[in-house]
Amino acid sequence: MEGDYINLEELYKLSGNDPEFIEKMILVFVEETPKSFIEIKEAMVAGNRKQVSQIAHHLKTSAYFMGIQALYNHAQKLEYIYRGYEEGDAESLMKLIEESFNKASEELIFYINNMRGKS
């Protein structure tokens, strides 16, 4: 399944084409990811570079399996900024991360609703 913001090819591979697993993973991603944003912002305020880079890395991995390229790219950039590999505006990047997530999560929920409707 592919949309404007998502491509679930990797998730299908990971799941062995199991629709229940796919739905569960999407729901967990949509519900849990905003908690990561709060943790990242708190770590940024606290100046905890290691924690920001670790959470961003986890977010990047999740984005990969959800096929959200924009979110993956932004999370990787944030991770690299906080590991000292790159320079950039982390606050602006967080806004892009959240925007990418919001757009993709709309498509993911739409996808789940379509899956349910076909059952």
Side-chain angles (χ1 to χ4, degrees), residues 5-21:
Y5 298 97
I6 64 172
N7 180 341
L8 298 177
E9 182 179 337
E10 291 302 320
L11 186 58
Y12 271 92
K13 287 179 191 175
L14 179 68
S15 74
N17 293 322
D18 179 350
E20 289 178 19
F21 178 83

Side-chain angles (χ1 to χ4, degrees), residues 22 50-51 56 60 79 100 107:
I22 292 167
K50 183 177 181 181
Q51 186 178 15
K60 177 182 76 172
E79 176 188 7
S100 298
E107 282 190 12

